[in-house]
């Protein structure tokens, strides 16, 4: 649901942070997949965050200072193209609908930008993001420099606009939280659906199809990333996504899949037995990962810093690895030596939002009084909590554990009193999984 006020508010907030100068934020280009076929179009997250506008070939410009204004550049209305490709707003309707002060045809970008950039002290732009846009912006600067003798000055200070917007994107407004809750609900329903479909001898891609079915049926526009549907040993390949193997009786199935709803990602991992019943060894490792996740989620509150959930998960996992005879020595020694990395080699989460690995710093560069400078968790931040354990065949590992790969991932919103697990409706306890699979 579009909310003009929400997006205007964000532009005003960015303007305040800029103080002076001009910000230029283009959206993403359309990408050709092969010959005449395009990849499904996805707007740039920064551009979308500030506009709510989904059409390609668009640029938003913010002018700070006394004559502050918000300007949108977009495609012209074009009946011929609209017959083939569908509706386009055109400048006038886009200005009206999306609440801009001015809107122009994208074809006027060079002419208007030259005027807007002249005599400005500062340019905010994502230098280095796109060679084509770098060249275009440099071109405008050089054209203006050539007019120096007629008294024109160019911005001599270029800052990365993303740094300002990253900090805004990190705090999800109630409007964003509502979309993320819905995105999480759709993905959770898809996991619950897949768990009921899985049976020995099915193919991984058949399960992937159940996800796509549920995502689209519930109104999500796309998977948020390529789904990982990894049976047995495939689960020990962290970014496995071939999804083309048979699901064997006695194996676990790890699925990392989430959807994108109105730009916002959900990101859930569940692991369950293909035949509906955990073996003793699988259950031992599963309960360990689940306990480490519970310990991590318990740390998600405004009283803690970013790394507290990771530290808590690691503490539980390392003790478990020692108990299961996967690691030797004391907890401190295993932590110090890093031996646990044979089985747990990734971090426990990341920010989540318009991008799956969302914008925002993890360390607080200003404050020096926290361990390692990790930033404090604050209300409105959304993060994933996703510990795991991946046991490849190795001489130092009891055979019963070989090829067990488990990850459990939920999406968590930091609230005033602790946290809200947005993905809580996706089943994850051993009895709940086994009960659901009986049906
Ligand atoms: N699905 C990507 C991740 O879990 O980080
Ligand atoms: Mn994740
Ligand atoms: Mn994931």
């Amino acid at each position: 649901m579009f909310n003009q006020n929400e997006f205007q508010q964000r532009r005003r907030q960015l303007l305040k942070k800029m103080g002076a100068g001009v910000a230029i934020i283009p959206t993403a280009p359309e990408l050709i997949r092969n010959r005449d076929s395009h990849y499904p179009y996805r707007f740039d997250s920064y551009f979308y965050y500030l506009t709510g506008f989904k059409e390609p070939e668009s640029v938003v410009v913010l002018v700070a200072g006394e004559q502050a204004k918000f300007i949108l550049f977009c495609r012209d209305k074009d009946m011929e193209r609209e017959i083939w490709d569908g509706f386009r707003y055109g400048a006038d309707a886009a200005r009206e609908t999306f609440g801009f002060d001015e809107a122009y045809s994208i074809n006027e970008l060079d002419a208007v930008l030259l005027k807007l950039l002249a005599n400005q002290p500062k340019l905010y732009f994502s230098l280095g993001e796109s060679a084509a846009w770098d060249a275009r912006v440099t071109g405008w600067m050089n054209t203006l420099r050539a007019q120096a003798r007629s008294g024109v000055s160019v911005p001599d200070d270029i800052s990365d606009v993303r740094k300002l917007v990253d900090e805004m994107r990190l705090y999800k407004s109630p409007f964003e939280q509502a979309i993320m809750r819905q995105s999480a609900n759709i993905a959770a329903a898809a996991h619950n659906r897949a768990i009921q479909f899985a049976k020995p001898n099915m193919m991984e891609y058949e399960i992937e199809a159940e996800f796509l079915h549920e995502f689209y049926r519930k109104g999500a526009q796309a998977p948020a990333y390529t789904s990982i549907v990894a049976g047995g040993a495939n689960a020990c390949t962290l970014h496995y996504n071939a999804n083309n193997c048979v699901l064997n009786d006695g194996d676990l199935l790890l699925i990392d899949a989430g959807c994108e709803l109105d730009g916002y990602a959900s990101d859930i991992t569940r692991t369950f037995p293909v035949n509906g019943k955990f073996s003793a060894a699988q259950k031992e490792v599963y309960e360990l990962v689940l306990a480490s996740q519970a310990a991590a989620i318990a740390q998600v509150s405004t009283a803690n810093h970013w790394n507290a959930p990771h530290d808590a998960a690691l503490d539980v996992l390392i003790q478990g690895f020692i108990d299961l005879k996967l690691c030797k020595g004391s907890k401190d020694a295993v932590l110090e030596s890093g031996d646990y990395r044979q089985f747990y080699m990734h971090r426990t989460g990341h920010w989540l939002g318009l991008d799956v690995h969302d914008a925002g710093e993890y360390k607080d560069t200003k404050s020096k009084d926290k361990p390692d400078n990790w930033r404090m968790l604050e209300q409105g931040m959304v993060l994933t909590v996703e510990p795991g354990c991946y046991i490849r065949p190795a001489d130092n590992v009891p055979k019963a554990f070989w090829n067990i790969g488990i990850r459990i991932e939920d999406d968590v919103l930091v609230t005033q009193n602790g946290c809200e697990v947005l993905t809580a409706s996706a089943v994850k306890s051993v009895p709940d999984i086994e009960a659901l699979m009986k049906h």
Side-chain angles (χ1 to χ4, degrees), residues 24 46 58 68 75 82 99 116 125 160 162 218 224 254 270 281 290 299 305 319 324 360 362 377 380 438:
I24 304 173
Y46 292 96
S58 311
R75 301 182 302 191
E82 289 183 54
L116 287 176
F125 175 68
D160 196 330
R162 290 173 295 190
K218 292 266 173 72
L254 180 155
R270 288 291 183 266
L290 192 60
Q299 294 297 313
H305 60 73
Q319 185 59 55
L324 294 174
Y362 291 91
L377 294 172
K438 277 208 184 108

Side-chain angles (χ1 to χ4, degrees), residues 225 228 255-258 266-269 350 356-357 384 386 407 409 411:
Y225 51 90
I228 295 171
I255 303 175
D256 185 342
S266 44
D267 181 8
I268 305 181
T269 308
H350 48 82
V356 178
H357 294 175
T384 66
E386 50 178 306
R407 178 166 62 257
E409 174 174 30
D411 304 343

Side-chain angles (χ1 to χ4, degrees), residues 283-295:
K283 190 168 165 182
E284 274 188 298
V285 184
Y286 188 86
E287 294 285 18
L288 171 62
V289 176
L290 192 60
S292 77
Q293 201 215 22

